[in-house]
């Protein structure tokens, strides 16, 4: 089946909704080192289908850039960019890649166009998104990123750079001023960190603007405002423009794109798309409605605007993300490559984490069906069409645990309860760090974490689970002194870690 132009594939909007306007001067271009990939959009392709571009896929696109987005990875392209497209009011996006020029190399020859493949059980469809009108690789020209943020035509600066991109201490929420990259940015070089880019850009503008964090940080708007204040104070920088930092909650499972996914996009579209992203039918965006200079009509595309994002944020971080991390570590240790394969045998423990540990800590919005929501999460995890790798979710555990699991732990301890299942999730992370391989051996499990060297050094040569537990709990950036000194929590984690070490992940989880 070839996708029709404007096909809708179960995203947040229910119409073709292409943004109005035509590409003009200032259309898609790259900054530094950007070139065509695999032959570009035209020319001799050796018999292969033509490359996706405005020439091969004519459509309307925005003419004005009003959003600068830092971190134009797969999640932004599957989530916020789709909402912006479906708003239909002509807001174009300047997408900035922070860590690699690859996404720029893929999208620039395609005039910023890319497809979103939506996969559910027994269904697959694709649509082309066209709101990305400019592309930058920050490392190639950091000054140009500052200039883009300072542009008075820009109304929103949004971010999806993952937890580690903020270079903050997850336990305190403060900027790590001793981080070498932060320190260099504070010293005055053209900024290479996202917080440095935001501060320098805000300091250079007078027009009001909104900074919209769309990452999984508790109270993400307030947190990012604090990081900006920390940097500005340390650098002696004054920000004179009006700026707001709304809170948000974002939700859409988006695994990494594989070569097989690109082949599927080509089959559906009839053209080659090297920027395709894969996602699920479900999508949710909850936003605090405090914008300094207007916004796209995201509400028309299905976004929820509210005065209080916190209840939605807690539900998502603790139920979805917390369960996802638990499933990733237990599943990887048990030898499961994919989340959909792990949820069957491990789903009982996931359900008990949700019901017994997380649910008592939640303030559920009026009219919200929490039982149905939890059931939907298990169904989404079991979606066989999404090949979401456990090791992908296991990345950056030192940054994710405080947001996803440790808030639940603290709330349950404060209530005089034992957070048994959250402790199992933490123990599974410890076993993942310590063992470095699945139960029974096999290929090493990747430890992709900004504290990797420190984590490995903490457990090097240790053979006793209790000693491993104590060593990792002593890392203050993750746990803080309160959890390290909690005999209840440390005892639960040490007991689970001993059982995981002795009996393995699958047996321990099925026979708790």
């Amino acid at each position: 089946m070839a996708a029709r132009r404007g096909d809708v594939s179960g995203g947040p909007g229910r119409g073709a909704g292409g943004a109005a306007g035509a590409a003009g001067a200032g259309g898609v271009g790259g900054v530094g080192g950007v070139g065509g990939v695999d032959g570009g959009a035209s020319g001799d392709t050796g018999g292969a289908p033509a490359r996706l571009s405005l020439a091969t896929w004519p459509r309307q696109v925005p003419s004005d850039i009003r959003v600068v987005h830092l971190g134009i990875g797969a999640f932004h392209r599957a989530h916020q960019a789709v909402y912006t497209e479906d708003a239909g009011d002509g807001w174009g996006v300047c997408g900035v890649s922070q860590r690699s020029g690859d996404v720029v190399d893929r999208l620039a020859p395609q005039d910023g166009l890319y497809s979103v493949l939506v996969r559910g059980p027994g269904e697959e469809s694709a649509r082309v998104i066209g709101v990305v009108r400019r592309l930058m690789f920050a490392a190639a020209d950091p000054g140009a990123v500052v200039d883009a943020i300072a542009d008075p035509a820009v109304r929103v600066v949004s971010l999806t750079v993952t937890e580690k991109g903020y270079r903050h201490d997850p336990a305190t929420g403060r900027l790590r001023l001793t981080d070498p990259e932060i320190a260099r940015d504070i010293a005055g070089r053209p900024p290479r960190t996202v917080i440095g880019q935001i501060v320098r850009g805000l300091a250079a503008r007078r027009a009001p603007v909104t900074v919209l964090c769309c990452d999984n940080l508790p109270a993400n708007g307030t947190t990012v405002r604090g990081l900006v204040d920390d940097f500005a104070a340390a650098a002696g920088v004054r920000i004179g423009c009006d700026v707001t930092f709304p809170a948000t909650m974002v939700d859409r499972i988006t695994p990494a794109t594989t070569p097989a996914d690109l082949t599927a996009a080509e089959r559906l579209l009839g053209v080659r798309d090297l920027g395709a992203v894969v996602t699920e039918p479900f999508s949710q965006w909850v936003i605090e409605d405090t914008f300094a200079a207007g916004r796209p009509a995201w509400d028309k595309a299905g976004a929820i605007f509210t005065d209080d994002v916190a209840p939605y944020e807690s539900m998502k971080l603790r139920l979805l993300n917390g369960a996802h991390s638990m499933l990733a570590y237990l599943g990887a240790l048990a030898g499961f490559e994919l989340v959909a394969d792990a949820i069957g045998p491990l789903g009982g423990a996931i359900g008990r984490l949700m019901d017994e540990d997380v649910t008592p800590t939640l303030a559920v919005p009026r009219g919200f069906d929490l039982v149905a929501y939890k059931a939907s999460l298990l169904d989404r995890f079991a979606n066989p069409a999404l090949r979401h790798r456990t090791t992908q979710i296991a990345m950056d555990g030192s940054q994710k645990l405080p947001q996803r699991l440790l808030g639940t732990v603290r709330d349950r301890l404060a209530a005089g309860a034992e957070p048994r299942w959250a402790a199992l999730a933490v123990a599974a992370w410890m076993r993942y760090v310590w063992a470095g391989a699945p139960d029974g051996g096999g290929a090493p499990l990747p430890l992709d974490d900004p504290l990797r060297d420190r984590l490995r050094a903490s457990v090097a040569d240790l053979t006793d689970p209790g000693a491993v537990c104590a060593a990792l709990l002593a890392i203050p950036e993750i746990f803080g002194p309160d959890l390290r000194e909690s005999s209840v929590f440390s005892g639960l984690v040490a007991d689970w870690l001993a059982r995981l070490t002795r009996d393995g992940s699958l047996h321990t989880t099925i026979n708790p």
Side-chain angles (χ1 to χ4, degrees):
M1 177 192 73
R4 300 184 303 276
R5 279 135 175 86
D7 261 4
V8 175
S9 58
R14 295 300 178 187
V28 173
V31 175
V34 176
V37 174
D38 197 19
S42 61
D44 183 6
T45 61
R51 185 84 171 268
L52 177 65
S53 70
L54 287 172
T56 61
W57 198 278
R59 54 156 294 157
Q60 290 184 308
V61 295
S63 57
D64 298 323
I65 291 174
R66 301 181 193 174
V67 178
V68 171
H69 184 81
L70 305 180
I72 186 166
F75 182 76
H76 170 73
R77 304 201 315 271
H79 189 273
Q80 299 98 53
V82 176
Y83 282 86
T84 304
E85 172 106 352
D86 287 334
D89 49 5
W91 286 58
V93 176
C94 171
V96 181
S97 178
Q98 294 290 329
R99 293 185 292 177
S100 167
D102 179 68
V103 67
V104 179
D105 291 341
R106 290 175 181 270
L107 295 187
Q110 298 183 178
D111 299 320
L113 303 184
Y114 65 92
S115 60
V116 177
L117 277 66
V118 177
R119 288 179 174 155
E123 65 174 291
E124 181 180 50
S125 57
R127 65 180 297 195
V128 172
I129 304 299
V131 294
V132 178
R133 305 311 315 135
R134 187 181 182 193
L135 292 154
M136 294 182 171
F137 177 33
D141 192 349
V145 178
V146 172
D147 291 343
I149 295 172
D151 184 345
V154 168
R155 310 290 185 84
V156 174
V157 178
S158 52
L159 303 88
T160 50
V161 296
T162 75
E163 295 92 338
K164 68 181 175 184
Y166 294 91
R167 299 179 182 271
H168 74 308
D169 182 342
T172 65
R174 302 301 298 271
L175 188 67
R176 294 200 312 267
L177 297 175
T178 57
D179 178 280
E181 296 299 315
I182 291 289
R184 293 186 185 103
D185 282 3
I186 288 173
R189 72 168 181 185
R192 294 178 177 270
T193 67
V194 292
I195 298 300
Q197 290 160 7
I198 291 171
V199 170
R200 300 295 182 185
L202 294 178
R205 66 179 292 144
R206 294 295 175 263
V209 70
T210 297
V211 175
L212 193 68
C213 174
C214 299
D215 279 304
N216 291 323
L217 304 176
N220 53 11
T222 300
T223 296
V224 173
R225 178 191 288 274
L227 301 180
V228 166
D229 289 345
D230 287 347
F231 186 102
V237 171
R238 181 180 179 274
I239 296 173
C241 65
D242 291 333
V243 56
T244 59
F245 295 81
T248 70
M249 185 279 281
V250 296
D251 187 3
R252 199 172 204 188
I253 295 174
T254 307
T257 301
T258 67
D261 297 327
L262 299 182
T263 299
E266 182 178 312
R267 170 177 53 82
L268 290 165
L269 300 172
V271 293
R272 288 183 302 146
D273 175 13
L274 299 187
V277 294
V278 178
T279 191
E280 62 175 336
F282 182 91
S283 184
Q284 188 179 33
W285 196 5
V286 183
I287 311 170
E288 182 184 12
D289 199 2
T290 54
F291 286 76
R295 57 170 173 80
W298 286 321
D299 48 329
K300 293 182 179 179
I304 299 170
F305 284 88
T306 180
D307 294 331
D308 188 8
V309 174
Y312 296 93
E313 173 194 273
S314 293
M315 286 191 298
K316 192 261 183 171
L317 284 175
R318 296 185 180 192
L319 288 172
L320 188 150
N321 295 123
H324 232 179
S325 287
M326 182 182 192
L327 188 58
Y329 295 120
L330 290 171
L333 290 169
F336 292 109
E337 178 188 2
L338 302 178
V339 168
D341 295 331
I343 189 62
L346 302 177
I350 301 300
R352 295 186 76 171
L353 170 72
M354 292 180 179
D355 293 340
E356 298 177 24
D357 282 355
V358 176
T359 296
T361 73
L362 300 176
V364 181
R366 185 188 301 272
F368 189 89
D369 191 337
L370 186 62
V371 173
Y373 178 68
K374 289 188 288 187
S376 76
L377 294 180
L378 297 177
D379 288 341
R380 290 166 64 193
F381 293 161
N383 181 354
L386 284 186
R387 296 184 59 81
H388 207 179
R389 294 178 294 108
T390 53
T391 53
Q392 180 186 352
I393 302 165
M395 293 168 55
D396 303 330
S398 68
Q399 311 299 296
K400 293 175 177 177
L401 259 63
Q403 282 75 249
R404 299 181 174 202
L405 290 161
L406 301 186
T408 295
V409 169
R410 288 187 169 95
D411 284 352
R412 295 301 283 151
L413 290 173
E418 291 189 352
R420 187 173 181 225
W421 302 99
L424 171 58
V426 172
W429 169 76
M430 290 184 174
R431 180 64 183 162
Y432 185 98
V433 169
W434 178 33
D439 301 330
L445 294 171
L447 182 59
D448 189 341
D449 193 290
L451 298 185
R452 178 186 59 193
D453 294 343
R454 188 170 174 189
L455 294 172
R456 285 179 169 164
S458 295
V459 299
D461 303 323
L462 296 181
T463 59
D464 176 65
V468 170
C469 178
L472 292 175
L473 285 178
I475 299 177
E477 297 93 331
I478 304 174
F479 294 101
D482 59 328
L483 295 184
R484 183 184 71 242
E485 296 167 5
S486 169
S487 59
V488 173
F489 178 62
S490 60
L492 287 169
V493 175
D495 180 64
W496 279 121
L497 183 57
R499 295 181 61 189
L500 289 169
T501 303
R502 183 185 68 238
D503 302 327
S505 171
L506 194 59
H507 184 272
T508 298
T509 307
I510 294 175
N511 301 280

